[in-house]
Amino acid sequence: MIAPGDEWLAERARSGDEVAFAELVGRHGEAVRGMARAGVANLADADDLAQEIWLDAFRGLGGFDPDRPFWPWLRAVGRYRLYKFLKVAARMRERFVSLEEACPAWREARAPEEPPGGAEMDEAVQARLRALKPRNRMLLELYYIEGLPLPEVAARCGLTRGSAAQTLFRIRREIRSRLG
């Protein structure tokens, strides 16, 4: 028996056949996950993005032309969803405020004593932290402030454990060298 083509399955899914849609997900699920992972660094975000791509595809089946190939259509749905995801992420980064900026009392409660080197040293550290790339700042915050174990920090940032450790080392070294 010859397996039905993607276009036929998409037509059936458009008519409400959930089994046909599940077959499409089975056939193209890894490719969609790969597309999502190539677009975002964080694995959890990539998995969420892949799920949103499939949801958009399901909702958009009414606009699919069964006389045209399915994969290019699905890839276009994925590219559009990735674009929207990155646009929202950029707006979120613009609004990013550290806990210390939002609530100075948190910092005082956490570290009541003035750090060695005085307030000038503290301001220099803060300035250096603000200058970090968002991913590097997130690495530091997850590891040092939230106290997450390195494997979890690496997974959240879409890095290997070794890469996360190396990046943390380089960030600390750079901050130390700039502070003198």
Side-chain angles (χ1 to χ4, degrees):
M1 180 175 177
I2 298 175
D6 291 342
E7 295 72 26
W8 183 84
L9 289 170
E11 183 67 25
R12 298 288 311 141
R14 183 165 51 177
S15 301
D17 186 341
E18 293 176 14
V19 174
F21 189 74
E23 177 66 23
L24 288 169
V25 172
R27 288 181 183 185
H28 299 286
E30 284 304 313
V32 168
R33 270 192 293 283
M35 182 184 348
R37 287 182 180 153
V40 296
N42 184 312
L43 290 179
D45 285 345
D47 289 341
D48 289 346
L49 179 59
Q51 195 169 10
E52 289 178 26
I53 291 169
W54 282 112
L55 187 58
D56 286 353
F58 182 76
R59 289 178 178 155
L61 279 171
F64 172 69
D65 179 0
D67 293 330
R68 301 188 63 130
F70 178 74
W71 173 245
W73 176 83
L74 180 60
R75 196 173 55 225
V77 169
R79 278 194 313 264
Y80 180 72
R81 172 49 68 182
L82 175 60
Y83 167 75
K84 286 175 66 176
F85 182 89
L86 294 174
K87 192 173 172 183
V88 168
R91 279 196 305 252
M92 298 277 292
R93 277 194 305 273
E94 288 172 3
R95 294 184 206 158
F96 174 79
V97 175
S98 73
L99 185 54
E100 292 176 347
E101 291 171 329
C103 182
W106 175 81
R107 178 188 173 119
E108 292 166 12
R110 206 177 105 239
E113 298 175 16
E114 192 170 301
E120 301 82 28
M121 177 66 86
D122 190 45
E123 184 54 40
V125 170
Q126 288 300 316
R128 190 63 209 128
L129 291 175
R130 283 191 298 272
L132 289 174
K133 293 178 185 174
R135 187 187 78 171
N136 290 349
R137 185 171 49 239
M138 184 171 71
L139 264 169
L140 287 174
E141 288 180 358
L142 290 174
Y143 189 70
Y144 290 108
I145 295 174
E146 292 186 26
L148 296 178
L150 189 58
E152 188 172 340
V153 171
R156 286 190 182 191
C157 294
L159 300 169
T160 64
R161 184 180 191 277
S163 180
Q166 185 70 22
T167 302
L168 283 169
F169 172 78
R170 287 180 182 148
I171 294 168
R172 286 190 311 261
R173 185 179 62 197
E174 180 183 343
I175 290 173
R176 269 191 230 118
S177 72
R178 292 187 182 235
L179 295 175

